[in-house]
Amino acid sequence: QKEVEQNSGPLSVPEGAIASLNCTYSDRGSQSFFWYRQYSGKSPELIMFIYSNGDKEDGRFTAQLNKASQYVSLLIRDSQPSDSATYLCAAPRGNFGNEKLTFGTGTRLTIIP
Amino acid sequence: KAGVTQTPRYLIKTRGQQVTLSCSPISGHRSVSWYQQTPGQGLQFLFEYFSETQRNKGNFPGRFSGRQFSNSRSEMNVSTLELGDSALYLCASSAGTGGSSGNTIYFGEGSWLTVV
């Protein structure tokens, strides 16, 4: 089982709709989770991180974490064409203070105008 | 505050050669990680350096090596290049102190390596 798993997509969403991206992880000890966005030909950029069960909102983005189900998701409200990118989920592995981020393979999102 | 700087941005090498890539982390960050990204394999962790010591290592052959200097700048080296080493090599810096903030990594723009 991969440490961090994502549906590779592609996921197509109409403009203005909600895009839902999902990620599961295998290590119950993981405490925090990160979402990165990567445009084609560019490097990943941090969107947000979450470490508490429940929701965390930042503008049009909402991260949701369910540690019991080992599930983390990213919702993008009012999707825009500029949101078209690959979204990477990541979780740290290792002992506190000595972790490394392990990434999923990413979900390719396309917003259809 | 300057971001993560990687050089060179693009390079072409031939099989059997070696290459050195450089990374300057965000000021104050002591952890530098290197990742390889290819279309088929996604982002794969190479290694991480913290205060000049290799702290974590991925599953790459010994041809891949790195080091970190006292000013936190880092280099990675790939010897005896193979066609399969063609990839985007990403450097990322973080505080490296654990927790959500300490583990948040910021990527440089990457070095595109093509091996012919």
Side-chain angles (χ1 to χ4, degrees):
Chain A
Q1 183 185 8
K2 291 184 179 178
E3 296 173 341
V4 178
E5 293 204 56
Q6 297 179 255
N7 186 323
S8 62
L11 175 66
S12 297
V13 173
E15 183 175 357
I18 296 176
S20 177
L21 304 157
N22 305 314
C23 173
T24 58
Y25 59 95
S26 61
D27 185 1
R28 284 194 173 274
S30 294
Q31 295 296 313
S32 54
F33 302 87
F34 300 77
W35 283 100
Y36 285 80
R37 176 178 63 197
Q38 185 174 26
Y39 292 113
S40 181
K42 301 293 186 181
S43 62
E45 56 180 330
L46 177 70
I47 297 175
M48 61 195 305
F49 64 78
I50 184 169
Y51 55 86
S52 298
N53 267 334
D55 297 357
K56 178 181 180 183
E57 189 175 315
D58 184 359
R60 296 187 295 111
F61 297 95
T62 299
Q64 298 176 318
L65 175 59
N66 184 323
K67 290 187 178 181
S69 300
Q70 295 178 245
Y71 178 95
V72 58
S73 64
L74 179 70
L75 302 179
I76 306 174
R77 291 184 302 282
D78 188 24
S79 298
Q80 303 296 310
S82 60
D83 295 326
S84 297
T86 296
Y87 290 79
L88 300 160
C89 172
R93 293 293 311 278
N95 298 321
F96 183 85
N98 190 23
E99 301 102 322
K100 66 177 179 71
L101 273 190
T102 299
F103 286 82
T105 52
T107 299
R108 188 155 55 93
L109 173 66
T110 300
I111 305 301
I112 304 168
Chain B
K1 196 173 189 181
V4 181
T5 304
Q6 288 188 248
T7 56
R9 292 291 321 281
Y10 305 92
L11 63 166
I12 300 174
K13 293 284 187 178
T14 57
R15 278 181 296 175
Q17 285 188 313
Q18 65 94 27
V19 65
T20 299
L21 309 177
S22 180
C23 172
S24 293
I26 292 171
S27 178
H29 282 185
R30 296 165 63 190
S31 169
V32 173
S33 300
W34 289 90
Y35 291 82
Q36 181 196 66
Q37 189 173 37
T38 57
Q41 298 296 322
L43 261 177
Q44 295 191 89
F45 174 78
L46 282 155
F47 30 66
E48 182 223 358
Y49 286 87
F50 182 83
S51 294
E52 301 181 67
T53 301
Q54 188 180 86
R55 195 163 67 167
N56 281 299
K57 188 177 186 306
N59 296 321
F60 278 81
R63 300 185 298 107
F64 293 82
S65 63
R67 59 178 175 168
Q68 186 181 32
F69 303 97
S70 58
N71 60 0
S72 293
R73 192 177 67 85
S74 177
E75 289 181 347
M76 69 161 282
N77 183 277
V78 187
S79 63
T80 319
L81 285 165
E82 301 176 359
L83 295 179
D85 296 333
S86 295
L88 174 63
Y89 289 88
L90 290 161
C91 168
S93 83
S94 73
T97 52
S100 301
S101 297
N103 283 324
T104 301
I105 65 173
Y106 300 90
F107 287 93
E109 292 186 316
S111 293
W112 289 92
L113 170 65
T114 300
V115 182
V116 297

